[in-house]
Amino acid sequence: MSNFVKAKEILGSNGIRPSVQRIAVLEYLLTHRTHPTADMIYESLLESVPTLSRTTVYNTLGSLAGCGAILSLDLDPRQAHYDGDNSAHGHFLCTGCGKIEDVALHGKEFGTNLGGLLPAGAQASSIQLSFKGLCAKCNTNNQ
Amino acid sequence: MSNFVKAKEILGSNGIRPSVQRIAVLEYLLTHRTHPTADMIYESLLESVPTLSRTTVYNTLGSLAGCGAILSLDLDPRQAHYDGDNSAHGHFLCTGCGKIEDVALHGKEFGTNLGGLLPAGAQASSIQLSFKGLCAKCNTNNQ
DNA sequence: CATAATTTTGTACTCAATACAATTATGTAA
DNA sequence: TTACATAATTGTATTGAGTACAAAATTATG
């Protein structure tokens, strides 16, 4: 199934009307696994959706992250990055080049089963595991 | 030992000259376990250090976080929070009231031993485990 | 088609964080 | 102590991600 159709379905099943703009944003996230920022998405989509506005991108990303369909990543203090893969995994931010890579968890305990650690009465709706450091390339270049 | 002396020692052992301002910032973090923002620290210290500037607070927090003496928390997308406790633990941000609480790990696997998960050649210098949701109080009020 | 409800757009704005140069403080050597 | 070099602090100007909001455009419904 194409990511266009997938995007349409995900929007619909989350009660978000699948407008052209919203489909484009989500399709971009499903296709590009580069953890883009809102502005990267906006700039890229401008070619195919010339009337697109930044506000719409922000609103769409907010709605999708709010219902858990995508991940909003906080590990870059300068701006949010987004991930169309909402399965349980962590992220590695290279402080050298700024690239974000996925960190597979390979069956390590993660997710709601960590809930036993939470403060009494608290209920978590999202979990993030974030690593920062130097990626292989930046590690080598700095030596 | 007083937090003032502790702050002085931590600064010295990390090669950061223990000026009045820097000691004040770190002493505040060691005393107040409230995960304050840079501005909260600035406003609070202004009474005792009237000439203090925001830039100095930002610079000091950056230096301390850079050498691992304190933690810079990314879980609030609006602004960074800081933690004078640099031991291995996670954090819970209540999206209702904005409060940040510590999440003890009780021996769960965390820290550099998770390094086996990282991308090949990458080297992590910091790890964060962040939960978001509603705290006990906000959970009750919303029902 | 007409009307209401929703979505999109664009501009103005907020505010955390940074850049930078001037000022102040501190260390060192004679 | 004094003179000088180095480092730290300060304050202002600026950046830029994200938001607020009202007008315009689109879509749903009768």
Side-chain angles (χ1 to χ4, degrees), chain B residues 94-110:
Chain B
C94 176
T95 53
C97 61
K99 195 180 172 191
I100 295 177
E101 299 180 60
D102 285 331
V103 176
L105 295 176
H106 297 128
K108 303 267 179 182
E109 183 179 29
F110 194 67

Side-chain angles (χ1 to χ4, degrees), chain B residues 10-102:
Chain B
I10 292 173
L11 286 163
S13 66
N14 282 285
I16 303 172
R17 194 187 291 173
S19 68
V20 171
Q21 293 87 342
R22 289 168 176 168
I23 295 172
V25 169
L26 183 49
E27 186 192 13
Y28 184 93
L29 273 177
L30 294 175
T31 306
H32 302 83
R33 294 306 176 87
T34 52
H35 313 94
T37 65
D39 211 61
M40 289 174 191
I41 299 171
Y42 169 74
E43 292 291 344
S44 298
L45 292 181
L46 216 48
E47 299 168 21
S48 51
V49 190
T51 68
L52 188 66
S53 87
R54 275 189 178 79
T55 303
T56 298
V57 175
Y58 278 110
N59 287 342
T60 301
L61 293 171
S63 303
L64 288 169
C67 66
I70 65 172
L71 300 180
S72 175
L73 309 180
D74 299 317
L75 78 170
D76 181 350
R78 299 186 316 175
Q79 72 230 81
H81 292 253
Y82 295 89
D83 192 338
D85 174 9
N86 66 352
S87 67
H89 66 286
H91 293 94
F92 177 87
L93 167 67
C94 176
T95 53
C97 61
K99 195 180 172 191
I100 295 177
E101 299 180 60
D102 285 331

